[in-house]
Amino acid sequence: MKNKRFTLIDLLIVLVVIAAGFVVSKVMTPKEVAPDGKVEFVVMASSVNNEVAKNLLPGDVAVLSHAQKTNVTVKDVEYKPSEVNIFDNQTKTYKKVLSNMESDVFVTVEANAKISDTAILSGDVFVRVGSEANLSSKNLAIEGYIVEILSEQK
């Protein structure tokens, strides 16, 4: 049976792992958090029924997350007809046409946020382009994605 000892190389490996963990934690931690910043961004929801989409109006207060912690104010709502695929029996191909019953909804919202060098945090939601955003108000609930960050103020 070999005698196992703690060598200088083992100590060096442990120190390198600890140093790497420290560096990663320093890089990932947001700096200079401003507690009362504001952020304005656009949420896009695809293929929303037109009757449902009409219920979201500028000035409404909505909630941004499932946890019901992040209130946002709706600044603007823009509707564009959704594209749908339909099968053409004559040509035996699919075609993209604009839908009369569904719209893509672009909702510009403003929220209080903590803004740092590395992150924008509104309540419990990280505001990043591509992040999922679930908007719900007293009249509707839609699921969409953040497609644009218009402004941030510290």
Side-chain angles (χ1 to χ4, degrees):
M1 196 166 175
K2 270 190 166 179
N3 186 9
K4 294 186 178 185
R5 307 188 311 205
F6 195 68
T7 64
L8 186 60
I9 293 176
D10 295 333
L11 180 64
L12 185 62
I13 290 171
V14 169
L15 289 176
V16 167
V17 168
I18 291 172
F22 181 74
V23 168
V24 167
S25 70
K26 282 294 187 185
V27 168
M28 298 302 282
T29 304
K31 300 168 191 84
E32 300 176 25
V33 175
D36 293 322
K38 288 202 178 283
V39 64
E40 193 170 312
F41 54 94
V42 178
V43 175
M44 182 195 78
S46 297
S47 301
V48 178
N49 184 300
N50 288 338
E51 295 300 316
V52 173
K54 286 185 215 174
N55 290 323
L56 192 61
L57 302 170
D60 284 353
V61 175
V63 178
L64 183 62
S65 67
H66 289 303
Q68 306 290 321
K69 293 182 181 176
T70 308
N71 288 336
V72 298
T73 303
V74 176
K75 293 293 186 182
D76 186 34
V77 182
E78 184 181 332
Y79 308 97
K80 294 182 181 174
S82 293
E83 284 187 344
V84 293
N85 290 326
I86 59 168
F87 186 71
D88 185 357
N89 283 328
Q90 292 175 343
T91 62
K92 304 291 185 204
T93 59
Y94 284 94
K95 293 183 179 180
K96 285 192 177 204
V97 296
L98 297 178
S99 173
N100 295 339
M101 299 179 65
E102 294 181 336
S103 298
D104 293 337
V105 182
F106 294 85
V107 184
T108 303
V109 296
E110 183 180 66
N112 292 328
K114 294 179 181 177
I115 300 169
S116 71
D117 308 4
T118 57
I120 300 172
L121 183 65
S122 181
D124 61 343
V125 177
F126 281 100
V127 178
R128 298 181 186 128
V129 172
S131 295
E132 185 175 353
N134 301 302
L135 282 176
S136 58
S137 70
K138 60 183 178 186
N139 298 327
L140 83 153
I142 57 174
E143 292 185 5
Y145 294 92
I146 298 172
V147 293
E148 185 178 4
I149 297 175
L150 300 173
S151 69
E152 55 188 65
Q153 304 159 357
K154 286 188 179 184

